[in-house]
Amino acid sequence: MDLYCVMGNPVEHSRSPRIHARFAELCGQQMDYGRRLIPLGAFAEGIAAFRREAAERGDSARGCNITVPFKFEAAALAEHTSARATLAQAVNTLRFEADGSIHADNTDGIGLVNDIVRNAGVPLAGKALLLIGAGGAAAGVLGPLLDAGASRIVVANRTVDKAIAVVQRHAALALGHGATLEAWALDEVPGAFDVVVNATASSLVGDAVPVSANVLRPGALAVDMMYGPAAAGFMAWAEAHGAVPRDGLGMLVEQAAESFEIWRGERPPSAQVLAELRASLAAGH
Ligand code: ATR
């Protein structure tokens, strides 16, 4: 059996096993996807143990997803790292190659782009986009948002120096796409935007949305990268100010779909699985 898993700490609430099990079922792929709680400071040992235990059982460990807090150290174990993961300075997908080497990638950004463009039906080409936050979540999606053709992206952060650093790292990519890329403090964001993405942890800690509602163009798409209660404050704010709110569930399913394709070479029916997941969450499961 080909084995996969999500590794993190904590990891018990991850929905990835359920999403990948459904992808595998719908695609007729023989694989098993579990979850592994990795002690802090023991990530490399966690990877080694997963591969060793699989081999001892006669199975084959083929890859894993990486979540908090290990996304930043995963690249160090890999022989090859994709350009988008290098730019993001974070990895969420490892593929174990037949020769024993490890390929590292980051599917978070393309997952967000695919959810916005395909599932929400909002093309990003030529659009003005505000990215709120400059931590790991924001850095993970900026490159793919530029690749998707947004003509102007503003990164706004409480600590403006972090926004400046992320923007500087992506300056060459923005130039290559002919896009404008700027860093601003939260209370100084200039103009209004077609798409606003919240990549901060402000809702998690119960704080108000950290930007003025003037950033929302009428009918703007406002996406929180979280879902459930953690996204509720931002979504209510967006709706109250004439924007179309969207949570991060679609991004979650779409980043999983991209990982699944990297591992299995087949695109799973992600929109169907997203609809099923929404229905089952709405029913309280
Ligand atoms: P993640 O990996 O989820 O991005 P992170 O790297 O700790 O986590 O980044 C958290 C982000 O949320 C940062 O942009 C942070 O702003 P600072 O860089 O100024 O710390 C932002 N953030 C957290 N709490 C916030 C709050 N109450 N108001 C505004 N921004 C907040």
Side-chain angles (χ1 to χ4, degrees):
M1 180 67 88
D2 287 350
L3 302 188
Y4 301 86
C5 69
V6 54
M7 294 191 182
N9 188 337
V11 79
E12 63 272 21
H13 298 300
S14 172
R15 299 196 185 277
S16 293
R18 183 167 155 189
I19 293 168
H20 282 285
R22 187 67 178 136
F23 285 168
E25 188 179 20
L26 290 168
C27 293
Q29 295 266 355
Q30 293 300 309
M31 57 183 270
D32 185 75
Y33 186 114
R35 55 166 71 79
R36 289 175 82 100
L37 177 68
I38 306 298
L40 298 178
F43 180 67
E45 292 85 339
I47 294 277
F50 176 46
R51 301 179 83 174
R52 188 182 60 244
E53 288 166 24
E56 284 167 2
R57 284 201 308 270
D59 291 327
S60 175
R62 303 293 301 274
C64 59
N65 284 129
I66 315 295
T67 187
V68 177
F70 303 114
K71 287 187 180 187
F72 306 106
E73 55 195 282
L77 295 180
E79 281 77 12
H80 336 273
T81 301
S82 72
R84 60 192 180 189
T86 303
L87 197 54
Q89 294 185 345
V91 161
N92 80 335
T93 304
L94 295 179
R95 186 178 63 205
F96 306 142
E97 311 289 27
D99 66 2
S101 66
I102 298 179
H103 175 76
D105 205 340
N106 189 324
T107 65
D108 286 331
I110 191 68
L112 175 65
V113 166
N114 284 343
D115 183 55
I116 291 173
V117 174
R118 298 183 189 172
N119 299 334
V122 175
L124 285 171
K127 296 289 175 65
L129 188 146
L130 173 63
L131 181 60
I132 311 170
V141 299
L142 183 52
L145 289 170
L146 285 162
D147 287 338
S151 57
R152 177 178 183 231
I153 298 185
V154 167
V155 180
N157 197 44
R158 181 174 61 181
T159 310
V160 74
D161 285 355
K162 280 169 66 179
I164 291 170
V166 171
V167 160
Q168 281 176 346
R169 203 163 81 228
H170 289 78
L173 183 65
L175 194 66
H177 284 300
T180 308
L181 180 60
E182 305 158 36
W184 287 92
L186 290 172
D187 56 357
E188 291 174 353
V189 174
F193 299 83
D194 305 298
V195 178
V196 174
V197 175
N198 184 22
T200 74
S202 63
S203 317
L204 257 192
V205 294
D207 282 359
V209 175
V211 292
S212 154
N214 293 335
V215 303
L216 297 167
R217 284 193 175 144
L221 180 71
V223 186
D224 197 303
M225 285 172 54
M226 303 203 179
Y227 59 90
F234 180 84
M235 304 229 322
W237 169 84
E239 191 154 29
H241 293 95
V244 178
R246 188 167 184 82
D247 68 9
L249 205 61
M251 174 183 174
L252 177 74
V253 173
E254 293 298 341
Q255 63 79 27
E258 191 78 12
S259 295
F260 188 92
E261 188 173 0
I262 286 169
W263 293 325
R264 311 301 297 181
E266 181 175 358
R267 191 89 200 158
S270 49
Q272 176 186 341
V273 174
L274 174 58
E276 291 173 0
L277 188 57
R278 273 202 198 289
S280 95
L281 290 178
H285 302 129

